[in-house]
Amino acid sequence: MAPKNQARDNREARERLRLYQARQGLHERQRRRRVRDNVVGTVVLVAVAALATGSQLAFAGSQGSGTADASATATATSTPTPSATAGNTGDVPSKSIAKDSTWTGTLTLNKDVRLGIELDGQKAPQATSVEIELIEEQFYNGTTCHRLADSTGLQFLQCGSANGDGTGDAGFEYGPLENVPSDGEYAKGTIAIARSSSPYSQSTQFFIVTGDTTLDSSTGGYTVVGKVTSGLSALVSKITSKGIAKAGSDGTGEPKVATKITGATIEREQ
């Protein structure tokens, strides 16, 4: 039987995901309604024009779905083999959301660690668009930062899994990789998107680099979506410097200080 707090956290994770998917469903219905109305209007215009010119208009689209566990792997040594059907799966937010702009906001951990963040909609439009929607839909609120690396040359805190333990997503995965450092060097303060072997396995998880970190570039690297602009010292002193509760075979593990995202905001820089 799971401890009471774990069972509560699992219920909260399921409820958070349910609410997010419900909001996504509402948005999708609204989008389809707008598309339907637009198509109806277009068909009327095309019908009139076709009488005079014989013009034709074709509409086509496709949609897939899929899930996978995303994680930032510092010890991978082989080049990942993309899926035979590599591509986005599920209802991925449009990359146009980022508007090729800089977005700024906050990420609050455990109510008392407030990080200023900046997302780069020019260099990483798809990843930035995903993060904007997840933040605006409050997907991250209550999720756990489940993984910490604190060794020399490998320092990051990983957050954002739907289930709080490195598993689950928001019903979509996306690619391609964007703004990846060619030398595998991720500077302190970098915010990057976690993934599994496929470049199209990015979803909701991200990691904050708390000290200059080198990751194996032969595996494809990781999308750099932005950076922490303030509060990093508080994150280190209050959370990451306290160490790992129990390290796994790769030297990473759950932080000793249980860490949750308790708030997040984002807005387009004026």
Side-chain angles (χ1 to χ4, degrees):
M1 180 178 294
K4 290 184 178 179
N5 62 338
Q6 182 180 342
R8 184 184 65 249
D9 288 346
N10 289 339
R11 286 196 301 272
E12 291 174 351
R14 289 194 297 270
E15 178 65 10
R16 181 169 55 254
L17 183 57
R18 185 190 68 79
L19 291 174
Y20 174 81
Q21 292 174 334
R23 288 192 295 268
Q24 286 292 91
L26 174 61
H27 290 171
E28 177 63 12
R29 289 192 295 274
Q30 292 173 335
R31 183 189 69 79
R32 288 176 179 172
R33 189 177 300 116
R34 288 194 298 270
V35 171
R36 180 201 63 197
D37 293 344
N38 289 341
V39 170
V40 169
T42 301
V43 168
V44 171
L45 293 175
V46 170
V48 172
L51 291 176
T53 66
S55 300
Q56 295 182 0
L57 184 63
F59 298 90
S62 63
Q63 185 177 23
S65 63
T67 57
D69 176 24
S71 62
T73 304
T75 57
T77 56
S78 60
T79 302
T81 302
S83 165
T85 57
N88 292 344
T89 58
D91 189 12
V92 180
S94 169
K95 69 177 182 180
S96 66
I97 294 173
K99 304 182 188 300
D100 289 329
S101 302
T102 299
W103 293 70
T104 57
T106 61
L107 185 67
T108 304
L109 306 179
N110 292 352
K111 296 183 179 181
D112 64 348
V113 175
R114 183 183 174 89
L115 305 176
I117 61 173
E118 180 179 291
L119 305 182
D120 195 333
Q122 290 186 327
K123 294 182 179 179
Q126 181 62 82
T128 296
S129 294
V130 169
E131 292 305 305
I132 290 169
E133 177 153 312
L134 290 172
I135 291 173
E136 289 183 339
E137 295 293 336
Q138 299 182 16
F139 173 86
Y140 287 127
N141 291 11
T143 58
T144 301
C145 294
H146 65 281
R147 187 181 184 203
L148 174 65
D150 65 352
S151 59
T152 302
L154 186 65
Q155 301 178 49
F156 61 79
L157 179 66
Q158 188 168 330
C159 310
S161 75
N163 297 331
D165 60 0
T167 65
D169 56 36
F172 63 80
E173 294 179 348
Y174 71 93
L177 301 177
E178 304 170 296
N179 195 28
V180 177
S182 59
D183 58 1
E185 300 292 330
Y186 296 76
K188 182 178 180 179
T190 294
I191 302 174
I193 305 301
R195 64 177 178 85
S196 57
S197 60
S198 170
Y200 284 82
S201 61
Q202 300 172 118
S203 188
T204 65
Q205 294 188 49
F206 62 91
F207 58 99
I208 300 170
V209 179
T210 56
D212 292 347
T213 290
T214 301
L215 299 177
D216 185 0
S217 59
S218 71
T219 66
Y222 302 90
T223 293
V224 173
V225 68
K227 61 184 179 181
V228 174
T229 57
S230 64
L232 195 61
S233 59
L235 170 62
V236 172
S237 64
K238 294 185 177 183
I239 297 175
T240 64
S241 67
K242 306 303 181 182
I244 299 171
K246 183 179 180 181
S249 59
D250 62 355
T252 72
E254 185 178 352
K256 284 184 178 179
V257 177
T259 306
K260 283 190 176 183
I261 297 175
T262 51
T265 66
I266 197 71
E267 64 181 6
R268 187 180 178 185
E269 189 174 63
Q270 301 300 318

